Amino acid sequence: MSGGTPILVVGSVAFDDVRTPFGAGADLLGGSATHFSVAASYFTPVRLVAVVGEDFAEAHAAPLRERGVDLAGLQRRAGRTFRWAGEYDFDLNNPRTLDTQLNVFAEFSPELPAGWEDTPVVFLANIDPDLQASVRGMVREPRLVAADTMNFWIAGKPDALRRTLGAVDVLLINDGEIRQLTGRWNLVEAAEEIHALGPRTVVVKRGEHGVLVFAPGDVFAVPAYPLRRVLDPTGAGDAFAGGFLGQLAARLRQDQEPDWRRAAVVGSVMASFQVESFSLERVRQLRPGEIEERYAGFRKLTEFGDFQR
Ligand code: AMP
């Protein structure tokens, strides 16, 4: 999408090996920034900051290019692209990481192309929290900053992660990870702890159980869409973030207050498409009208009348 409020995303661009109870794939294009960008591209222009290695051919970027994602901030460096291998059993909410190879991300020094330092919306997708902080610091007075993270960084760099969160408005995180980060089982208390670190809005992703949004003065829940076909949940969290921030960015353009509820439903719509295929097969080629149709499906799913005896 060319018009609208741009979003700058920093995160991983990866090759994934994934096994689920319904199939497997190797060397699939993945990564937090990739999944986010493709989903968000349906709503607003996206600027991607990341690094890939020499094994990343021109053709690998096709799904991003086709969706109009601006790749001027995608560096190519000597070495191998980030690699992740994971496996899911029937509990699709919790992947088991088999292997994480940072490769070119280990030495990554992000740079913003000219003009990108004024991007109004920033998404710090799941990646090293020091990298997230460095990119956050390069953007001048963004209107909205959101971040995601995962157990790998919560366990590996907890202090850096807490520092990064000090300059973040919205944290998107899954239920297991917010419990790990705060040491609290109760999600309401855990969200309050996160508020105290910085983010005023906390979105807790609960896989097939949907999401809980703790926004200023509002708590909202969206279920996951009951789908006949679920193949691979990889990227669902990032696709959620793409729809969520894409919707918020569109409203910023009209100078309206954020509508967290609508954004959470749009995020859930994009996550529901993400899980219907491996990698980006489904999300990269949505037909016109499909997003609207599923949004209406979510509304129907959760509408009910007044209480009657
Ligand atoms: P999710 O939306 O949480 O399912 O994100 C899935 C994507 O995260 C995969 O495509 C992986 O390449 C990527 N990923 C996995 N582990 C990491 C990590 N430690 N840092 C950054 N990205 C990761």
Side-chain angles (χ1 to χ4, degrees), residues 13 15 29 52-66 69 71-72 74-76 81 284:
V13 170
F15 289 127
L29 179 63
V52 291
E54 295 152 314
D55 51 354
F56 194 92
E58 194 57 32
H60 288 123
L64 292 160
R65 260 187 234 294
E66 283 163 14
V69 176
L71 301 179
L74 180 64
Q75 300 177 16
R76 184 189 298 269
T81 299
R284 69 187 278 199

Side-chain angles (χ1 to χ4, degrees), residues 143-223:
R143 295 183 60 187
L144 187 72
V145 180
D148 189 1
T149 192
M150 73 180 290
N151 47 15
F152 186 86
W153 303 111
I154 296 170
K157 288 197 153 188
D159 298 337
L161 179 57
R162 281 168 182 267
R163 276 196 303 277
T164 299
L165 292 182
V168 165
D169 304 303
V170 183
L171 176 66
L172 301 112
I173 188 165
N174 77 29
D175 47 3
E177 287 156 359
I178 196 173
R179 287 174 171 139
Q180 182 185 2
L181 179 58
T182 62
R184 291 189 184 268
W185 175 87
N186 183 299
L187 295 177
V188 178
E189 288 179 355
E192 283 166 2
E193 285 227 355
I194 300 294
H195 292 322
L197 292 176
R200 298 192 60 223
T201 297
V202 179
V203 180
V204 182
K205 300 171 285 180
R206 308 177 66 217
E208 62 174 324
H209 306 298
V211 297
L212 271 174
V213 182
F214 298 92
D218 193 25
V219 180
F220 182 54
V222 190

Side-chain angles (χ1 to χ4, degrees), residues 11-16 29-32 35 82-84 88 95 97 100 102 126-128 148 150 152-153 205 233-239:
S12 54
V13 170
F15 289 127
D16 292 343
L29 179 63
S32 54
H35 289 298
F82 181 102
R83 288 188 171 257
W84 178 74
Y88 302 79
T97 291
T100 302
L102 296 179
N126 175 31
I127 197 65
D128 185 328
D148 189 1
M150 73 180 290
F152 186 86
W153 303 111
K205 300 171 285 180
T234 306
D238 305 305

